[in-house]
Amino acid sequence: VCGPLGLAGLKFQTPTFSSSFGVPLPTLGFVQGLADALNFLPVIIPFSILTVVGGINVTESARLAGDTYDTREVLMIDACSTMFAGLCGGVAQTTAYIGQPAFKQMGCRAGYTILTGLVVGLCGMAGIIQFIVDAIPTAALAPILCFVGLEIVSQAFACCPRAHFPAVAFAFLPNIARVLAIKGNYSEAGVYDTLLATLQAEPTRYLNEKLLIPALGNGFILTAMLWGAFFAFLIDKKLRASAIFLGLLSIFSLFGVVHSVDPNGFMYLPWNLPSPVAQAVPYQFALGYAVLAIIFLLLSFTKDSQMSVVEEG
């Protein structure tokens, strides 16, 4: 109503209705694209890992909300539906949708999921999804997403030991970095290439934040889990377990599984990156994690580290 009257604050554009009906039928057409798909393995592998991690997170979130599901079954359903969708031309993996506790509080049951699948599926076959997306104002969707986000954050603190609160807060930082990278357009290819050229021509003592923020945010889901894990073990004085997670972070960051310096979040061999400036980032992350892991490992042999938190209390 506000848009056509010029009260929306922006230029209003009436969504154009168009449809093109198509039934998703299984084919072997994907075989022809396998050779080309191999070139995208550096982004496919991290994305696959994140999707699996997402399925685990959602299942655990549901369990904490009082609904216990078998994690293996959830992941198997995700895998099978992804492969079947691929046979029908699908290009994205499926995973359980985050926010189950929030939907449960709103009174949603199994019918909500079934209805959502039917509506999205039928509208997708009718080719009108884009029209619906354009027609619904962002302001109508944002409150739902905010509510779901607040429930997820609240659950993270409500369902873990109070001593682990710092670890939960620490695990939010990669997510914040990802938001900053998106809002600052740091990951756009042109911005990234210009920045590398500038830093190469005018080297400084410290790497530019516009290079580090996207790297910190790439792979943020996996990074957040590993950060939360090593910090929680550190709080519990389980330094050797903490060192193991830091070791994983060191290996992952070297090859771009987390902290990828590539603007698209691709994996890579660090010595093949386009410039010495870009090559420095994975080595610095990897060395930082490795040094911290070694320090924790050495401290694990001290008397204080072998005193449990319970004994101290």
Side-chain angles (χ1 to χ4, degrees), residues 9 21 33 96 210:
F21 189 79
K210 293 182 180 180

Side-chain angles (χ1 to χ4, degrees), residues 205-244:
R205 182 177 180 182
Y206 300 106
L207 290 175
N208 192 289
E209 64 180 21
K210 293 182 180 180
L211 188 64
L212 292 178
I213 288 176
L216 186 61
N218 283 336
F220 64 94
I221 297 176
L222 188 58
T223 305
M225 289 190 67
L226 293 173
W227 277 23
F230 97 75
F231 206 150
F233 280 120
L234 175 63
I235 291 170
D236 293 340
K237 293 193 174 182
K238 298 178 180 179
L239 299 184
R240 294 177 188 176
S242 184
I244 290 174

